[in-house]
Amino acid sequence: MITHEVQNQVPPREGVDEFAANAPLVESVVRWGTGTADASQTLHDLGRRVGSRSFQHDAELANTRVPELRTHDRWGRRIDEVDFDASYHRIMATAVGSGAHTSAWADPRPGASVDRAAAFLLLAQVEPGHACPISMTHAAVASLEHAADGLRAEWMPRLLSREYEPGLGAADGGAATAAKRSALVGMAMTEKQGGSDVRANTTRAVPRPGGGIRPEWGVEVGLTGHKWFCSAPMSDAFLVLAQAPGGLSCVFVPRVLPDGSRNAFRIQRLKDKLGNRSNASSEVEFDDTTGWLVGEEGRGVATIVQMVTRTRLDCVIGTAAGMRQAVAEAAWHVRHRRAFGSLLVDQPAMAAVVADLALESEAATLTAMRLARAYDADASESEQAFRRLATAVAKFQVCKRGPEHAAEALECLGGNGYTEAFPLARRYREQPLLAIWEGSGNVIALDVLRVLDREPEAFLAFFDVVGEAAGEHPGFDLALAEARAVVGEVADADAPTAAFRARELAERLALVLEASVLLQHSPGAVADAFVRSRLEGDGGTMYGALPPGVDVHAILSRA
């Protein structure tokens, strides 16, 4: 007997061009991207790919059929490999094939970083875990600029390749690995006793006499030590921080050595994480592991920070991607679900919540894309100074807002949102990680203080950019003046007081940055609502507590 008929359930959100559906992203690419027809076509093709039912299914499988560690083969040989479901490899092939890893380096024309950032956002919107190795490979290129010419000549073509080749190659020596034409790069910085305090690292890098096996790759060292977090351990090579005789240094560590043999890279275990399940994170041991110095000995932090700055930007982009997924799913749900006699979207309380979520998402997206433009090869000295500060404050604010944004969007779906059958439960677990990766809140806020102390020109450049919106809204003008005043107060304060106010400073700077890009480039209804609710204090502290008179319907039309 049929006991009920399924009614009033929301249809699946699939078969969508996620690029075309994201108006703030499209407008940002038009404004700051390369402007080429090929780039636009690539993004629309990618938008349809990630919006397809098959890609969404692969995202689900990659997070439920999680990576597995194989330390030994069946004959007892140590191999230290990570096995992934085929769904993960299909996602990775899509990301690498679209150039989401290194396209901005391969063709560094003005706007290339924006086109690449848009592709990265689209992919991370649906499956965020794979974005880790994609991001690190992109960012590693900046640090490898300081490597020996011979190492760069051998490895850069692999990093720029759009061919995805999983696996490391044969473990029995010979030239079998020479056929591998592409590569991904990971990172291993933190240790159990230090965490973010990388100068407390104890892993040793001992120079080897006689030039080593590849003198043209630079100074060869033997690494011994333990890394508490090693991201994407299945990558082909890693940038590692270790103590050399001259101090903390950056070391390039390949998984497979030039003769085809496996390097000593012992994966001790995979981390059992709250989220980010598709991405393998691990602890590793180095036992006289072969590596090559990158940059000057003793200048490891200065070398690897070139990579970290770009992965911090990708944390901002990745959070914006998560916010977009959350808004898209919530808006789709409320436009199809009825309750108490009408569609949810037509009920003022729900409309205000989704509109407020959309405000946050648009601010994050425009901020991320504006920052990406500052990373282009043609960036002026002023733009480079701007990005030094703006990346930190955006990383602080946008990534901090991610978890509560995901929680509110999940609630829009009611009980369905809390189940694993819908993607927002996975997103809810994902967003906190982006606030932790590449420096948690206090680390980033204290970095802002270091910029204030050592690079005052970055603040001048920042306010030059943000000040371009001056006169557009009285609430913004007041907030901008207050932010300048706080900068002066913190600069004049003693060290403990400055540290106590570091988060306040970072938040104020981030909010005027977001408001500035919205006032200059978004519809008036969006910019006005953001300024009034985030800067003037007319609204409440919860999503949906918007001030009276906000044009909710105009904001929702962009969601």
Side-chain angles (χ1 to χ4, degrees):
M1 181 177 69
I2 298 177
T3 60
H4 72 283
E5 181 179 349
V6 176
Q7 297 178 342
N8 197 30
Q9 283 286 357
V10 175
R13 187 177 180 275
E14 57 192 30
V16 177
D17 179 347
E18 293 287 7
F19 179 60
N22 189 342
L25 183 62
V26 172
E27 293 165 4
S28 294
V29 171
V30 170
R31 182 180 305 113
W32 293 308
T34 61
T36 67
D38 287 346
S40 177
Q41 187 61 51
T42 295
L43 290 171
H44 279 291
D45 290 344
L46 184 59
R48 286 186 286 270
R49 176 77 183 98
V50 302
S52 68
R53 180 179 183 181
S54 62
F55 194 92
Q56 293 177 27
H57 186 52
D58 276 344
E60 181 179 354
L61 291 178
N63 283 274
T64 53
R65 300 175 182 176
V66 297
E68 295 182 356
L69 172 62
R70 284 193 301 130
T71 56
H72 297 77
D73 66 14
R74 58 179 176 169
W75 296 282
R77 287 190 289 257
R78 188 88 193 220
I79 57 173
D80 295 283
E81 293 188 357
V82 182
D83 290 336
F84 294 83
D85 187 71
S87 57
Y88 176 88
H89 293 306
R90 288 192 290 268
I91 291 169
M92 285 292 292
T94 298
V96 173
S98 71
H101 60 327
T102 55
S103 61
W105 299 104
D107 183 12
R109 69 181 71 186
S113 295
V114 177
D115 291 351
R116 177 261 162 192
F120 183 82
L121 187 150
L122 289 170
L123 288 152
Q125 176 182 330
V126 180
E127 205 300 294
H130 83 287
C132 175
I134 294 298
S135 173
M136 289 191 297
T137 303
H138 161 73
V141 175
S143 291
L144 290 175
E145 295 281 350
H146 304 281
D149 291 343
L151 192 151
R152 285 179 47 77
E154 181 128 357
W155 281 89
M156 282 306 301
R158 301 185 197 180
L159 301 188
L160 299 180
S161 170
R162 293 199 181 190
E163 181 178 356
Y164 173 62
E165 298 177 275
L168 298 173
D172 55 357
T177 56
K180 188 166 185 183
R181 296 176 297 276
S182 63
L184 299 172
V185 177
M187 181 197 301
M189 290 199 299
T190 60
E191 298 181 7
K192 63 184 74 172
Q193 77 282 351
S196 296
D197 183 9
V198 294
R199 295 192 183 278
N201 285 3
T202 60
T203 296
R204 301 189 309 278
V206 179
R208 290 175 174 167
I213 57 178
R214 280 292 179 91
E216 67 273 22
W217 286 15
V219 177
E220 183 178 315
V221 299
L223 290 177
T224 302
H226 179 96
K227 291 296 178 179
W228 189 236
F229 278 98
C230 174
S231 297
M234 66 291 178
S235 299
D236 300 281
F238 297 84
L239 291 180
V240 177
L241 285 181
Q243 298 287 357
L248 192 63
S249 302
C250 182
V251 181
F252 180 82
V253 179
R255 286 295 312 270
V256 177
L257 295 172
D259 65 358
S261 63
R262 296 287 176 88
N263 206 356
F265 189 92
R266 310 302 186 214
I267 304 176
Q268 300 301 91
R269 62 171 173 168
L270 299 185
K271 297 289 193 177
D272 187 10
K273 297 171 294 186
L274 170 68
N276 200 241
R277 307 292 290 184
S278 67
N279 179 42
S281 303
S282 65
E283 293 176 43
V284 298
E285 292 275 0
F286 301 126
D287 184 9
D288 197 29
T289 301
T290 300
W292 285 265
L293 289 182
V294 176
E296 296 179 37
E297 185 176 335
R299 295 276 297 164
V301 172
T303 301
I304 208 167
V305 79
Q306 303 299 319
M307 179 180 187
V308 171
T309 298
R310 286 167 170 79
T311 49
R312 282 181 177 177
L313 171 62
D314 280 354
C315 286
V316 178
I317 300 169
T319 303
M323 288 181 175
R324 173 57 194 167
Q325 181 185 43
V327 167
E329 294 292 336
W332 180 265
H333 181 85
V334 302
R335 285 192 170 107
H336 291 87
R337 180 79 166 181
R338 304 184 69 87
F340 311 112
S342 64
L343 288 171
L344 288 174
V345 72
D346 294 330
Q347 300 183 29
M350 180 60 80
V353 168
V354 179
D356 211 355
L357 292 171
L359 280 181
E360 198 75 37
S361 175
E362 182 155 349
T365 298
L366 263 67
T367 300
M369 294 301 113
R370 173 62 181 89
L371 266 176
R373 181 65 181 92
Y375 279 83
D376 275 329
D378 69 334
S380 65
E381 289 187 10
S382 178
E383 277 286 278
Q384 293 176 48
F386 161 73
R387 80 190 188 200
R388 173 69 180 95
L389 176 59
T391 302
V393 300
K395 165 66 165 80
F396 178 86
Q397 180 70 10
V398 173
C399 296
K400 280 291 181 192
R401 294 286 281 174
E404 58 185 302
H405 187 276
E408 193 68 55
L410 181 154
E411 189 177 327
C412 292
L413 275 64
N416 284 351
Y418 199 67
T419 69
E420 295 297 335
F422 293 81
L424 293 193
R426 186 164 67 244
R427 179 58 64 181
Y428 178 65
R429 293 193 301 274
E430 190 72 29
Q431 291 293 65
L433 179 60
L434 292 162
I436 296 170
W437 260 346
E438 311 312 319
S440 54
N442 283 345
V443 172
I444 299 297
L446 293 175
D447 189 38
V448 172
L449 292 187
R450 278 189 290 273
V451 177
L452 180 59
D453 180 53
R454 302 174 187 175
E455 303 173 59
E457 68 277 6
F459 276 79
L460 296 176
F462 178 87
F463 282 116
D464 282 345
V465 171
V466 172
E468 292 172 2
E472 295 293 330
H473 195 292
F476 171 78
D477 292 344
L478 178 60
L480 183 60
E482 291 174 345
R484 289 180 182 274
V486 170
V487 169
E489 292 168 7
V490 172
D492 293 337
D494 57 49
T497 302
F500 184 80
R501 299 190 67 182
R503 282 184 173 233
E504 175 198 357
L505 175 62
E507 182 181 32
R508 283 182 179 271
L509 293 173
L511 286 173
V512 294
L513 172 60
E514 289 184 305
S516 176
V517 293
L518 290 176
L519 284 166
Q520 293 179 75
H521 306 299
S522 291
V526 173
D528 176 71
F530 186 89
V531 171
R532 292 180 59 198
S533 59
R534 271 65 167 178
L535 298 184
E536 290 187 339
D538 288 349
T541 59
M542 292 188 177
Y543 283 111
L546 292 169
V550 165
D551 193 343
V552 168
H553 296 294
I555 299 169
L556 285 176
S557 69
R558 292 171 64 77

